[in-house]
Amino acid sequence: MGIPEVKKTVCEICLNNCGVDAWVEDGRVVKVEGSRECPNRGKLCVKGYASREYIYREDRIKTPLRRVGARGEGRFQPITWEEAYTEIAKHLNQYKKEFGADSVAFYTGYSKWYRTLFHRFVHSFGTLNYGTESSSCFQAVRLADVLNAGSLSRPDIANTDLFLAWGFNPFYSGVYHFDTIEKLQEKGMKVICIDPRVTPFSQLADLHLQIKAGTDGALALFFGNYLIAQDKIDHDYIKKHVHGFEEYREYVQGFTLQRVAKITGEKEEKLVQAAQMLGENPHFAIHEGAAPLTHHRNGVQNFRALMALSAISGNYDREGGNIPTEYANPKVNRDCDVGDETFIQEVRPKNTKPKIGSERFPVWSEIIDEFQAMDLSRQILEGTPYPIKAIFALGMNVRMFPGDTKLFEALRSVEFFVDVDIFMNDTAKYADIVLPACTSFERSQFMGGFMGHYYNTPSVRYLSPVIQPLYESKSDADILCELSRYLDMEDSVLSKGHEACTKYLLRKVGVTFSELKVTSAAARIPGKLPYIPGANTEFGYRTPTGRFELTSEILRRHGFSPLPTYEESADEQDENLYPLQLTAGGRLPYEFHSRFQNSRWKKYFRPYPMVDLNPKDARDLSIRQEEDVVLESAYGSICLKANLTYMVDQGAVFMYQDYKDADVNSIIGENHLDPISGFPGYRSVRCRITKVKAKEGAK
Ligand SMILES: Nc1nc2c(c(=O)[nH]1)N[C@H]1C(S)=C(S)[C@@H](COP(=O)(O)OP(=O)(O)OC[C@H]3O[C@@H](n4cnc5c(=O)[nH]c(N)nc54)[C@H](O)[C@@H]3O)O[C@H]1N2
Ligand SMILES: Nc1nc2c(c(=O)[nH]1)N[C@H]1C(S)=C(S)[C@@H](COP(=O)(O)OP(=O)(O)OC[C@H]3O[C@@H](n4cnc5c(=O)[nH]c(N)nc54)[C@H](O)[C@@H]3O)O[C@H]1N2
Ligand code: SF4
Ligand SMILES: [Mo]
């Protein structure tokens, strides 16, 4: 037995990237702790503490595999890396030659760390058909921000008087925000939480508006109406920088207190109290969450309505408000500029076909440099506007898509499918070739950014592996670089390997690779804070009118309402048949998408899939705690257990996604999408719940 050595790395389960001290003995990780010097200050969440279970899980893919059974069956034969690369190259090169590079769709799931390399890889292959899980995550917020003001923005929480915590519960989905906010509250910052659920965070807010999910736009338009009526707006800012104010002013007049109380289900007194708080606090900042507001069919317009408040009150591009950012590269989770965009765009192909989803989601397609993956299954199955012959994916999980049964069907019909994953999930079972990726503990990784949310130093970091890759697995970066040598593409940077790519990226940053490699600590790089108040005001808004557009000229050109119009998000099903509203997606602290579905530790927290419903609704339906129920929408039904909780309001039900035996996305229509962003309306689906009679009980 050796003496354990403590090696530094980060947890890559979620984007908090908490620092991890890994105790390594005889080449095995024997213990993990949070690093004290990192922003997580020695702490990890339950998922991070379970890292050893993640690394040494039984269902790790151990070697490259070739499918020998039917698609989805899971029968494979081990092959060598050389055989796998050769076979992949044979197919992809042939499709490129015969049908063009656009006949291959490249896709990645949630993991972000390799995206700069992957996006360049796709460009070098010759297509713009690069798609990611961000077809359902965060990019719709960016889209709304860009339509409004030409760039992404962030709340300047540190300097604000009032934080509008709109769909915000960091206790479940993250860790740092809360520490920061608690300290700011002690200094006097006020918080309004707008959340359909009672959560640990909502209880700490000065005011909680428990509105019906998906009605945020109406609430924001009421606030707009109130601020204008009370003359709590910034005339000077509006005159200089706002486009469409008159149309907006007229439109919001329809959002009266009575009407909005009815739409949102919140009490009139509380709506007025919130509006008054907005009027009394000249600086207010709005949270820009990745999911809750945009997972509705009206997501982009709702979010635009929120940000309109920032514009009319002069809080946009001002300290303590929402500040545009010039430097962020949200595509790869980097807050500072380490040259990713040049790295990706310098090999951008020309004369390509329109990206997947361009016809259905033209606004998305114009603004977001990714295909809209919600159109992937349709294009594969219908073959229009051109056929997709093959998919090359890193970490694909079909269960994250609404109407996922259709995507499984598409995977059955596509000619060739490669999936790279750490674990043998149900999607990988459809692949012709499966490649084993290693975990973050087994790979080297280049990181750049602010190293944690609202952490103020632009820095870069190079992490060396803590242990050798298990079995025959490799890092995604190595896989992409090695495969590039087999494919019909000329990329002299990628083909030299991951280390060479990192050096290439670093050449403009002012730190050398050798300096970085000797330490696991982050190195500060020159560069400004990403959020500079006044930048847009000084340099102009990158919108068609050069102003903050309350009426978006891009939306007008595409035939959408230019105003941040409010429309109901729920599907058009009969309310009598489906009286409840399903919100499929509020985060649970011990779940992470598909990743912990098989974990033993997770079962202590939630042993089986459950749907959260209000005890009063449950009583009306004669349902008791942990009884078997059927959750049904117009698209299908699933069996699961009931969890009675006052966190959820009457009329609403919540559940987490990705359960294999109770797959909520299988009962959400594949076309239940926001027409502007293509984002799924996971969080506003009409449904009903019935008790299962003893005999037909769910397992
Ligand atoms: N109903 C509903 N559906 C949702 C959501 C919701 O709120 N409600 N949320 C949506 C959102 S916001 C998101 S981001 C998506 C997330 O959706 P997914 O992309 O499905 O996320 P994961 O299941 O975490 O990861 C996908 C796969 O990546 C693999 N993986 C992990 N690390 C690596 C790695 O380093 N390399 C490789 N090659 N593979 C790896 C995992 O094993 C897993 O199989 O789900 C979306 N779907
Ligand atoms: N533990 C854990 N952490 C995660 C993840 C995970 O799966 N598990 N996923 C990661 C990913 S991919 C993402 S995108 C982020 C998402 O992180 P968050 O944006 O924090 O996501 P949620 O917890 O889904 O939503 C936050 C709050 O918004 C509320 N909400 C839901 N619908 C609405 C609505 O229509 N209006 C309003 N105002 N509020 C609403 C929910 O009740 C919830 O309390 O979390 C990341 N962190
Ligand atoms: S919050 Fe948890 S899952 Fe996310 S990086 Fe930190 S330890 Fe990992
Ligand atoms: Mo996400």
Side-chain angles (χ1 to χ4, degrees):
M1 295 278 269
I3 300 167
E5 190 186 343
V6 176
K7 295 189 175 179
K8 301 276 178 190
T9 188
V10 296
C11 174
E12 271 280 339
I13 299 295
C14 89
L15 297 182
N16 277 327
N17 287 147
C18 297
V20 172
D21 287 1
W23 293 50
V24 180
E25 193 177 311
D26 298 330
R28 266 182 85 82
V29 179
V30 292
K31 175 175 156 178
V32 293
E33 286 179 327
S35 308
R36 285 176 203 283
E37 70 282 10
C38 289
N40 51 310
R41 294 195 299 275
K43 287 175 278 183
L44 297 173
C45 80
V46 60
K47 305 180 290 300
Y49 277 124
S51 291
R52 290 180 58 240
E53 204 257 12
Y54 194 73
I55 303 170
Y56 297 111
R57 248 166 72 174
E58 261 312 296
D59 59 344
R60 283 278 305 254
I61 303 166
K62 300 186 173 69
T63 65
L65 299 168
R66 178 190 291 126
R67 185 169 57 80
V68 291
R71 286 217 164 127
E73 201 186 327
R75 283 201 300 126
F76 291 95
Q77 167 194 74
I79 52 172
T80 64
W81 278 99
E82 174 66 30
E83 285 171 308
Y85 287 149
T86 309
E87 196 157 326
I88 294 168
K90 188 183 92 188
H91 283 88
L92 299 194
N93 288 341
Q94 189 206 328
Y95 292 126
K96 180 172 171 173
K97 208 163 137 205
E98 253 182 76
F99 305 97
D102 303 307
S103 64
V104 183
F106 293 87
Y107 174 86
T108 167
Y110 178 83
S111 289
K112 316 269 197 274
W113 73 278
Y114 46 68
R115 287 195 185 183
T116 304
L117 285 180
F118 190 36
H119 203 165
R120 178 176 172 118
F121 177 94
V122 179
H123 278 181
S124 282
F125 184 72
T127 177
L128 300 178
N129 274 338
Y130 165 84
T132 78
E133 118 296 354
S134 303
S135 286
S136 69
C137 182
F138 188 68
Q139 289 287 24
V141 169
R142 180 151 176 256
L143 188 62
D145 263 346
V146 170
L147 291 169
N148 279 348
S151 63
L152 187 69
S153 69
R154 285 286 160 91
D156 182 17
I157 306 179
N159 297 304
T160 201
D161 304 319
L162 172 65
F163 177 48
L164 290 180
W166 219 307
F168 182 79
N169 179 30
F171 283 103
Y172 287 7
S173 60
V175 284
Y176 299 131
H177 299 69
F178 178 64
D179 274 16
T180 321
I181 285 164
E182 192 184 29
K183 284 194 194 104
L184 293 168
Q185 278 182 294
E186 280 165 14
K187 283 198 212 151
M189 180 183 80
K190 295 271 177 288
V191 175
I192 302 179
C193 174
I194 300 139
D195 195 313
R197 289 192 300 181
V198 175
T199 69
F201 185 78
S202 74
Q203 295 178 64
L204 295 168
D206 298 280
L207 181 67
H208 175 202
L209 299 181
Q210 197 172 0
I211 63 168
K212 215 169 122 185
T215 61
D216 303 87
L219 178 64
L221 294 164
F222 161 69
F223 287 152
N225 187 4
Y226 176 92
L227 292 177
I228 294 170
Q230 300 293 319
D231 199 18
K232 298 284 187 188
I233 54 176
D234 186 333
H235 294 278
D236 194 38
Y237 181 87
I238 293 170
K239 207 165 142 212
K240 282 197 193 125
H241 303 297
V242 173
H243 170 71
F245 179 71
E246 271 313 306
E247 274 178 77
Y248 171 83
R249 192 183 59 79
E250 247 172 65
Y251 180 63
V252 297
Q253 281 171 11
F255 290 83
T256 59
L257 179 61
Q258 295 71 23
R259 180 174 170 214
V260 172
K262 208 163 160 231
I263 295 174
T264 59
E266 186 47 287
K267 290 191 190 74
E268 290 184 14
E269 310 86 86
K270 282 177 81 180
L271 298 184
V272 173
Q273 200 186 336
Q276 279 168 346
M277 282 171 80
L278 249 71
E280 285 158 12
N281 288 280
H283 293 267
F284 61 78
I286 302 170
H287 171 60
E288 306 198 16
L293 264 64
T294 47
H295 284 175
H296 295 284
R297 288 199 307 173
N298 55 14
V300 166
Q301 293 291 41
N302 278 359
F303 196 74
R304 288 190 63 228
L306 261 62
M307 296 310 291
L309 298 173
S310 189
I312 61 166
S313 61
N315 271 303
Y316 190 80
D317 201 20
R318 186 172 80 178
E319 203 172 78
N322 284 63
I323 303 180
T325 160
E326 294 286 323
Y327 299 95
N329 192 340
K331 288 197 290 196
V332 288
N333 189 34
R334 287 194 185 142
D335 288 346
C336 64
D337 187 4
V338 289
D340 297 281
E341 208 47 35
T342 317
F343 187 79
I344 293 165
Q345 300 307 346
E346 67 189 6
V347 290
R348 189 182 182 86
K350 297 197 178 73
N351 306 322
T352 56
K353 295 199 177 102
K355 287 174 288 186
I356 293 161
S358 297
E359 281 181 7
R360 260 174 100 192
F361 307 108
V363 181
W364 164 280
S365 223
E366 182 175 320
I367 291 169
I368 307 292
D369 198 14
E370 297 182 7
F371 70 73
Q372 186 22 295
M374 297 306 143
D375 202 36
L376 181 62
S377 56
R378 190 212 55 79
Q379 183 153 345
I380 292 174
L381 292 168
E382 293 176 16
T384 57
Y386 54 89
I388 298 297
K389 296 285 174 185
I391 299 177
F392 179 93
L394 303 172
M396 187 173 200
N397 165 34
V398 167
R399 291 212 177 86
M400 64 150 263
F401 289 82
D404 50 12
T405 30
K406 186 158 172 199
L407 188 51
F408 276 124
E409 191 190 325
L411 288 186
R412 227 173 263 126
S413 79
V414 77
E415 284 184 20
F416 187 64
F417 173 32
V418 181
D419 195 21
V420 186
D421 206 303
I422 304 173
F423 309 109
M424 180 51 81
N425 69 6
D426 284 344
T427 306
K429 289 180 185 157
Y430 284 70
D432 298 285
I433 302 283
V434 179
L435 301 178
C438 63
T439 68
S440 58
F441 288 79
E442 302 152 63
R443 68 189 182 218
S444 50
Q445 185 173 330
F446 172 63
M447 302 175 77
F450 280 74
M451 307 292 172
H453 290 285
Y454 310 119
Y455 194 57
N456 282 339
T457 322
S459 21
V460 284
R461 193 174 176 188
Y462 190 79
L463 295 167
S464 297
V466 160
I467 52 168
Q468 287 306 304
L470 295 188
Y471 320 108
E472 287 181 35
S473 66
K474 289 181 192 250
S475 98
D476 300 271
D478 291 340
I479 295 172
L480 291 171
C481 291
E482 288 172 12
L483 181 60
S484 77
R485 296 175 205 142
Y486 290 75
L487 287 172
D488 183 9
M489 61 160 97
E490 296 288 319
D491 191 319
S492 59
V493 182
L494 280 185
S495 63
K496 287 203 190 83
H498 183 208
E499 212 171 283
C501 291
T502 309
K503 284 182 188 157
Y504 189 77
L505 267 171
L506 278 172
R507 74 199 190 286
K508 293 202 180 132
V509 166
V511 178
T512 67
F513 182 69
S514 1
E515 280 166 343
L516 265 194
K517 207 181 168 181
V518 292
T519 168
S520 58
R524 197 188 161 141
I525 56 167
K528 297 179 206 152
L529 288 176
Y531 318 123
I532 306 167
N536 272 17
T537 311
E538 197 177 326
F539 303 115
Y541 293 73
R542 288 173 291 166
T543 53
T545 59
R547 289 167 158 250
F548 189 111
E549 297 194 351
L550 291 179
T551 50
S552 160
E553 294 309 317
I554 297 180
L555 287 181
R556 199 193 300 274
R557 170 159 53 79
H558 285 284
F560 290 105
S561 161
L563 281 162
T565 317
Y566 177 74
E567 275 168 38
E568 215 194 317
S569 175
D571 41 11
E572 291 91 17
Q573 303 304 325
D574 184 347
E575 267 188 85
N576 296 317
L577 278 178
Y578 300 102
L580 301 168
Q581 176 166 316
L582 166 66
T583 291
R587 299 312 185 229
L588 294 172
Y590 40 81
E591 295 283 12
F592 203 87
H593 308 297
S594 65
R595 295 192 191 186
F596 299 106
Q597 298 296 319
N598 299 325
S599 297
R600 266 173 300 147
W601 65 267
K602 203 281 303 278
K603 310 244 182 232
Y604 290 110
F605 294 98
R606 196 163 265 214
Y608 23 67
M610 288 176 124
V611 57
D612 295 344
L613 80 158
N614 188 286
K616 288 181 187 152
D617 285 339
R619 196 185 50 208
D620 292 347
L621 297 163
S622 311
I623 291 168
R624 296 213 200 113
Q625 174 67 14
E626 297 194 31
E627 264 186 336
D628 294 331
V629 294
V630 176
L631 173 64
E632 197 177 349
S633 78
Y635 304 95
S637 63
I638 51 179
C639 292
L640 70 172
K641 302 257 185 202
N643 184 39
L644 277 48
T645 168
Y646 283 106
M647 277 180 76
V648 173
D649 219 352
Q650 278 186 274
V653 297
F654 267 68
M655 104 164 257
Y656 194 74
Q657 68 275 9
D658 284 305
Y659 298 109
K660 187 175 174 161
D661 300 326
D663 173 9
V664 75
N665 282 344
S666 72
I667 65 164
I668 299 178
E670 84 248 10
N671 296 320
H672 187 58
L673 307 171
D674 180 340
I676 300 174
S677 64
F679 263 44
Y682 299 121
R683 296 179 191 227
S684 36
V685 177
R686 287 200 206 285
C687 70
R688 64 175 171 234
I689 294 188
T690 43
K691 186 171 160 152
V692 175
K693 293 179 199 89
K695 258 180 154 173
E696 44 181 275
K699 289 181 198 82

